[in-house]
PDB file of all heavy atoms in Angstrom:
ATOM      1  N   GLY A 329       8.374  -9.613  -4.125  1.00 86.00           N
ATOM      2  CA  GLY A 329       9.132  -9.083  -5.250  1.00 86.00           C
ATOM      3  C   GLY A 329       8.839  -9.781  -6.567  1.00 86.00           C
ATOM      4  O   GLY A 329       8.608  -9.129  -7.592  1.00 86.00           O
ATOM      5  N   ALA A 330       8.814 -11.102  -6.550  1.00 86.00           N
ATOM      6  CA  ALA A 330       8.563 -11.852  -7.786  1.00 86.00           C
ATOM      7  C   ALA A 330       7.150 -11.588  -8.312  1.00 86.00           C
ATOM      8  O   ALA A 330       6.950 -11.444  -9.524  1.00 86.00           O
ATOM      9  CB  ALA A 330       8.771 -13.342  -7.557  1.00 86.00           C
ATOM     10  N   ILE A 331       6.189 -11.504  -7.400  1.00 85.00           N
ATOM     11  CA  ILE A 331       4.812 -11.221  -7.819  1.00 85.00           C
ATOM     12  C   ILE A 331       4.738  -9.841  -8.473  1.00 85.00           C
ATOM     13  O   ILE A 331       4.094  -9.664  -9.506  1.00 85.00           O
ATOM     14  CB  ILE A 331       3.834 -11.321  -6.632  1.00 85.00           C
ATOM     15  CG1 ILE A 331       3.744 -12.768  -6.141  1.00 85.00           C
ATOM     16  CG2 ILE A 331       2.453 -10.809  -7.000  1.00 85.00           C
ATOM     17  CD1 ILE A 331       2.966 -12.938  -4.849  1.00 85.00           C
ATOM     18  N   LEU A 332       5.408  -8.858  -7.864  1.00 88.00           N
ATOM     19  CA  LEU A 332       5.420  -7.514  -8.442  1.00 88.00           C
ATOM     20  C   LEU A 332       6.058  -7.523  -9.826  1.00 88.00           C
ATOM     21  O   LEU A 332       5.562  -6.878 -10.753  1.00 88.00           O
ATOM     22  CB  LEU A 332       6.166  -6.535  -7.531  1.00 88.00           C
ATOM     23  CG  LEU A 332       5.503  -6.222  -6.193  1.00 88.00           C
ATOM     24  CD1 LEU A 332       6.415  -5.327  -5.353  1.00 88.00           C
ATOM     25  CD2 LEU A 332       4.147  -5.581  -6.376  1.00 88.00           C
ATOM     26  N   ASP A 333       7.143  -8.272  -9.972  1.00 90.00           N
ATOM     27  CA  ASP A 333       7.831  -8.333 -11.264  1.00 90.00           C
ATOM     28  C   ASP A 333       6.942  -8.924 -12.357  1.00 90.00           C
ATOM     29  O   ASP A 333       6.992  -8.483 -13.506  1.00 90.00           O
ATOM     30  CB  ASP A 333       9.122  -9.147 -11.150  1.00 90.00           C
ATOM     31  CG  ASP A 333      10.186  -8.445 -10.319  1.00 90.00           C
ATOM     32  OD1 ASP A 333      10.089  -7.212 -10.112  1.00 90.00           O
ATOM     33  OD2 ASP A 333      11.116  -9.141  -9.865  1.00 90.00           O
ATOM     34  N   PHE A 334       6.119  -9.900 -12.002  1.00 91.00           N
ATOM     35  CA  PHE A 334       5.251 -10.532 -12.989  1.00 91.00           C
ATOM     36  C   PHE A 334       3.973  -9.742 -13.265  1.00 91.00           C
ATOM     37  O   PHE A 334       3.261 -10.034 -14.220  1.00 91.00           O
ATOM     38  CB  PHE A 334       4.875 -11.955 -12.557  1.00 91.00           C
ATOM     39  CG  PHE A 334       5.988 -12.939 -12.753  1.00 91.00           C
ATOM     40  CD1 PHE A 334       6.575 -13.565 -11.669  1.00 91.00           C
ATOM     41  CD2 PHE A 334       6.457 -13.233 -14.024  1.00 91.00           C
ATOM     42  CE1 PHE A 334       7.614 -14.469 -11.845  1.00 91.00           C
ATOM     43  CE2 PHE A 334       7.498 -14.132 -14.208  1.00 91.00           C
ATOM     44  CZ  PHE A 334       8.075 -14.749 -13.113  1.00 91.00           C
ATOM     45  N   THR A 335       3.697  -8.748 -12.449  1.00 92.00           N
ATOM     46  CA  THR A 335       2.453  -8.000 -12.600  1.00 92.00           C
ATOM     47  C   THR A 335       2.489  -7.063 -13.798  1.00 92.00           C
ATOM     48  O   THR A 335       1.458  -6.785 -14.400  1.00 92.00           O
ATOM     49  CB  THR A 335       2.124  -7.241 -11.298  1.00 92.00           C
ATOM     50  OG1 THR A 335       2.023  -8.211 -10.246  1.00 92.00           O
ATOM     51  CG2 THR A 335       0.822  -6.483 -11.393  1.00 92.00           C
ATOM     52  N   GLY A 336       3.660  -6.591 -14.139  1.00 92.00           N
ATOM     53  CA  GLY A 336       3.765  -5.727 -15.313  1.00 92.00           C
ATOM     54  C   GLY A 336       5.111  -5.033 -15.358  1.00 92.00           C
ATOM     55  O   GLY A 336       5.666  -4.673 -14.324  1.00 92.00           O
ATOM     56  N   HIS A 337       5.626  -4.875 -16.583  1.00 92.00           N
ATOM     57  CA  HIS A 337       6.928  -4.236 -16.770  1.00 92.00           C
ATOM     58  C   HIS A 337       6.800  -2.771 -17.168  1.00 92.00           C
ATOM     59  O   HIS A 337       7.790  -2.120 -17.472  1.00 92.00           O
ATOM     60  CB  HIS A 337       7.756  -5.011 -17.797  1.00 92.00           C
ATOM     61  CG  HIS A 337       8.130  -6.376 -17.300  1.00 92.00           C
ATOM     62  ND1 HIS A 337       9.063  -6.572 -16.305  1.00 92.00           N
ATOM     63  CD2 HIS A 337       7.662  -7.593 -17.629  1.00 92.00           C
ATOM     64  CE1 HIS A 337       9.169  -7.865 -16.057  1.00 92.00           C
ATOM     65  NE2 HIS A 337       8.330  -8.512 -16.853  1.00 92.00           N
ATOM     66  N   ASP A 338       5.574  -2.264 -17.182  1.00 93.00           N
ATOM     67  CA  ASP A 338       5.354  -0.846 -17.402  1.00 93.00           C
ATOM     68  C   ASP A 338       4.139  -0.444 -16.570  1.00 93.00           C
ATOM     69  O   ASP A 338       3.363  -1.280 -16.119  1.00 93.00           O
ATOM     70  CB  ASP A 338       5.163  -0.509 -18.891  1.00 93.00           C
ATOM     71  CG  ASP A 338       3.973  -1.219 -19.498  1.00 93.00           C
ATOM     72  OD1 ASP A 338       2.823  -0.873 -19.136  1.00 93.00           O
ATOM     73  OD2 ASP A 338       4.176  -2.114 -20.340  1.00 93.00           O
ATOM     74  N   PHE A 339       4.005   0.849 -16.348  1.00 92.00           N
ATOM     75  CA  PHE A 339       2.978   1.364 -15.445  1.00 92.00           C
ATOM     76  C   PHE A 339       1.557   0.990 -15.869  1.00 92.00           C
ATOM     77  O   PHE A 339       0.794   0.445 -15.054  1.00 92.00           O
ATOM     78  CB  PHE A 339       3.151   2.882 -15.308  1.00 92.00           C
ATOM     79  CG  PHE A 339       2.251   3.501 -14.294  1.00 92.00           C
ATOM     80  CD1 PHE A 339       2.424   3.261 -12.941  1.00 92.00           C
ATOM     81  CD2 PHE A 339       1.223   4.345 -14.683  1.00 92.00           C
ATOM     82  CE1 PHE A 339       1.603   3.835 -11.992  1.00 92.00           C
ATOM     83  CE2 PHE A 339       0.389   4.930 -13.746  1.00 92.00           C
ATOM     84  CZ  PHE A 339       0.579   4.673 -12.400  1.00 92.00           C
TER      85      PHE A 339
END
Side-chain angles (χ1 to χ4, degrees):
I331 293 171
L332 292 175
D333 291 342
F334 284 115
T335 301
H337 293 288
D338 60 69
F339 186 69

